[in-house]
Amino acid sequence: MPRIAYVNGSYVPHHEASVHIEDRGFQFADGIYEVVACINGKMTDERGHLDRLERSLDELGIPMPVTRRSLQFIIREMVRRNRLKNANVYIQVTRGVAKRDFPFPVEVPPSIVLTARNFQFDNNKNVEKGVTAMTVADIRWKRRDIKTTMLLAQVLAKQEAMDGGAYDAWMVDDEGFVTEASSSNAWIVTKDGKLVTRNATTSILRGVTRTAFEKICSGLQMKIEERAFTPAEAYEAQEAFNTSAVALVVPVIMLDGKKIGTGEPGPVAKKLYAEYRAYAEGQRGEHVEWVANLDEDEA
Ligand code: PMP
């Protein structure tokens, strides 16, 4: 069965899918993206991801290429046509195809591409064993709240970390504070048990998983401190971890070659991982409204 992609209205075999060379996504990285995880057949936090997709488009003045309802349908078709149960669905929208020129083109429809790939959420080695990270300079632009396809700084950050022998990068701003990881939000658990993550301004991407954690943690009476922290504070932390729709909750067991806590995945990350899985699979009544399925939306 061939892998299927969606390109501007058509479902096509993945290996034949293509976009125009003058697509502004290719020419200028003039586009945005989202990733929705489907866990055991359920779309996790779909509403949050689609809200952020609309917000990113709005911030850049790109219209929605299809209605939200159609997009929800296409996402489900992608999971169905690729015969997936656990999947990451990537949605990319660009300002469209136009003769190369910097200003916005007039009356050009946006381009939309979806791809889906299998993701094995269970027996996830990174979640079970944790990963190492290295701090690198955050060289990105000032609107990190927009989820653009302009990911070169993150590509370089991750490669720098890998070249330095670490799995992931934690990016550090000009003031010396951690912003986030290369493709996830960064968290620490302080020695006195406080959860700390960077406040969501324009300097980081407000993770949809991070927002889910706000709900989950308030249900568990766990307080989150939203503030900037330094690598030095992270070295002294009891635990550290990353959150994202793709990676879920990944313990960071070593930062810049220094063991965090015991150097093993800690109890807070493990507990939050279990809670997040239960939340994503709709086992927690109080979070069910967050698991947006098309039928539930219709009710
Ligand atoms: N920060 C960055 C830079 C990211 O790329 C991502 C994942 N796309 C996140 C945070 C986490 O966002 P989410 O929880 O919505 O996947």
Side-chain angles (χ1 to χ4, degrees):
M1 203 227 20
R3 230 182 124 191
I4 302 295
Y6 176 89
V7 185
N8 294 326
S10 309
Y11 296 93
V12 288
H14 191 273
H15 65 277
E16 287 172 17
S18 62
V19 291
H20 197 283
I21 57 165
E22 293 226 271
D23 194 289
R24 290 179 63 99
F26 178 64
Q27 295 281 355
F28 298 110
D30 188 0
I32 62 97
Y33 76 111
E34 268 304 326
V35 189
V36 186
C38 176
I39 301 183
N40 273 334
K42 280 207 169 83
M43 299 300 165
T44 307
D45 277 332
E46 185 185 33
R47 191 170 303 158
H49 287 285
L50 295 184
D51 283 351
R52 191 174 60 190
L53 179 136
E54 286 178 1
R55 178 183 181 278
S56 295
L57 288 174
D58 220 45
E59 291 293 319
L60 299 180
I62 300 175
M64 267 289 267
V66 294
T67 64
R68 186 168 172 133
R69 190 132 195 93
S70 303
L71 185 51
Q72 285 181 295
F73 177 80
I74 299 163
I75 293 169
R76 279 159 187 72
E77 272 301 284
M78 286 296 290
V79 174
R80 191 184 71 78
R81 288 182 189 232
N82 285 287
R83 304 204 186 161
L84 299 169
K85 197 163 165 236
N86 291 308
N88 292 137
V89 183
Y90 285 78
I91 307 157
Q92 307 205 190
V93 180
T94 76
R95 205 182 299 277
V97 177
K99 185 163 157 271
R100 195 178 194 286
D101 197 6
F102 282 83
F104 296 176
V106 180
E107 286 182 16
V108 165
S111 304
I112 176 165
V113 170
L114 274 83
T115 53
R117 66 182 186 199
N118 183 37
F119 189 80
Q120 207 49 53
F121 292 100
D122 292 315
N123 306 318
N124 184 319
K125 198 166 66 38
N126 289 349
V127 172
E128 281 164 23
K129 295 203 158 72
V131 298
T132 57
M134 187 177 121
T135 54
V136 306
D138 194 335
I139 60 167
R140 294 176 296 168
W141 73 330
K142 292 181 180 159
R143 292 303 308 275
R144 302 163 189 158
D145 55 313
I146 303 172
K147 196 167 166 65
T148 93
T149 53
M150 187 179 56
L151 292 168
L152 187 54
Q154 284 100 310
V155 168
L156 296 176
K158 180 114 188 185
Q159 190 60 43
E160 189 180 336
M162 286 176 72
D163 291 345
Y167 174 83
D168 204 354
W170 272 24
M171 296 180 287
V172 176
D173 65 17
D174 292 347
E175 282 72 48
F177 294 101
V178 173
T179 50
E180 55 195 328
S182 62
S183 58
S184 48
N185 288 117
W187 301 68
I188 55 171
V189 183
T190 61
K191 286 246 158 59
D192 54 357
K194 283 196 195 103
L195 272 169
V196 183
T197 195
R198 179 85 184 225
N199 42 322
T201 55
T202 49
S203 55
I204 64 160
L205 184 74
R206 183 190 285 270
V208 174
T209 318
R210 178 188 181 282
T211 303
F213 268 55
E214 287 170 12
K215 291 243 157 191
I216 291 169
C217 290
S218 91
L220 295 170
Q221 316 294 330
M222 288 169 81
K223 221 180 130 348
I224 299 175
E225 266 184 35
E226 293 188 51
R227 63 166 173 84
F229 61 90
T230 59
E233 188 176 358
Y235 302 150
E236 296 303 316
Q238 192 180 300
E239 289 185 42
F241 58 90
N242 295 336
T243 59
S244 76
V246 172
L248 310 180
V249 184
V250 175
V252 174
I253 54 172
M254 197 177 265
L255 182 64
D256 293 336
K258 297 171 183 61
K259 263 191 202 171
I260 307 288
T262 60
E264 303 273 331
V268 177
K270 282 188 190 159
K271 165 94 179 146
L272 289 176
Y273 176 75
E275 288 292 327
Y276 185 72
R277 284 294 302 261
Y279 158 87
E281 293 181 39
Q283 292 164 23
R284 295 281 187 275
E286 68 274 28
H287 301 310
V288 155
E289 80 275 10
W290 282 70
V291 184
N293 275 306
L294 215 48
D295 300 346
E296 287 165 17
D297 275 2
E298 264 159 9

